[in-house]
Amino acid sequence: MAREAADSSSEQTESYHVRQENELEVLEAIYGQDFQNLRHNRPWKVRHSPEICLVLRPQGLTGDHEVYTKVELCVRCPQTYPDTVPEIHLKNVKGLSNDNVNLLKSRLEELAKQRCGEVMIFELADYVQSFLSEYNKPPSKSFHEEMLKNQQKELERLAQEEQRRIQDLKRKEEEM
């Protein structure tokens, strides 16, 4: 009886390992150079559960052109992942306010709880990319640039007013 329980436990551990490795292979294929397996930095001969970082940009944008938001999604999985929720960290955040980073992190943790029992890292990454797309806006200009832009608009408005005034005077002269 004890042996059957040990065999069952061993099979369960093997099942976790197979599912984790399959997920990592898929993620590496999808994200290529933006995928980083942090287990390679660990001693070899010891089986470690997945620990990865993905560099994520807004959906549909691959280069850095028009990418104003960017984040590294780091996920550390326990031995019993996916039946246990992984640890989620966001690093090297670009283009998001602290409030938005906290919002994103809490939504990811909620999504991870909902997906508990199934592999989820791709879904988490996809959610991050959607979130980044929503907030992918050019940074606001400096106060000085904004002031110069407003001055230019004011000069253009005054020039248009002057032109209208001159046209009105010409029209009145022609009428007389």
Side-chain angles (χ1 to χ4, degrees), residues 36-167:
Q36 184 182 11
N37 189 343
L38 302 176
R39 291 186 305 178
H40 294 312
N41 305 338
R42 299 266 173 84
W44 55 284
K45 299 246 182 193
V46 179
R47 183 185 285 181
H48 293 281
S49 52
E51 188 175 347
I52 63 156
C53 272
L54 295 171
V55 177
L56 300 172
R57 295 167 189 78
Q59 282 174 330
L61 301 176
T62 50
D64 281 338
H65 182 65
E66 293 185 9
V67 172
Y68 304 109
T69 55
K70 194 176 185 181
V71 70
E72 280 183 38
L73 172 66
C74 298
V75 181
R76 175 183 280 157
C77 301
Q79 293 288 336
T80 55
Y81 169 82
D83 289 339
T84 310
V85 175
E87 284 180 41
I88 301 167
H89 301 282
L90 300 173
K91 294 184 352 185
N92 300 323
V93 178
K94 174 187 164 197
L96 293 177
S97 69
N98 287 339
D99 288 342
N100 286 336
V101 171
N102 293 334
L103 176 65
L104 175 58
K105 185 151 173 35
S106 68
R107 287 184 179 171
L108 285 173
E109 288 168 350
E110 191 60 38
L111 181 60
K113 285 176 192 167
Q114 291 170 8
R115 297 287 184 257
C116 195
E118 55 191 79
V119 292
M120 67 182 83
I121 298 174
F122 177 76
E123 280 189 72
L124 297 174
D126 191 53
Y127 184 86
V128 170
Q129 289 182 301
S130 295
F131 190 92
L132 292 176
S133 294
E134 199 176 317
Y135 292 95
N136 191 44
K137 296 173 180 67
S140 60
K141 297 179 176 149
S142 70
F143 180 74
H144 180 70
E145 288 175 341
E146 205 64 39
M147 186 180 76
L148 290 175
K149 189 172 122 187
N150 289 341
Q151 275 183 333
Q152 185 64 34
K153 281 183 182 176
E154 182 66 16
L155 288 173
E156 288 171 7
R157 188 185 64 76
L158 290 172
Q160 286 176 346
E161 270 182 29
E162 183 67 22
Q163 194 146 10
R164 270 192 231 110
R165 199 174 59 75
I166 291 171
Q167 286 174 346

Side-chain angles (χ1 to χ4, degrees), residues 6 9 11 30 35 37 53 108 152 168 175:
S9 174
E11 283 178 26
I30 293 170
F35 172 88
N37 189 343
C53 272
L108 285 173
Q152 185 64 34
D168 286 348
E175 288 174 3

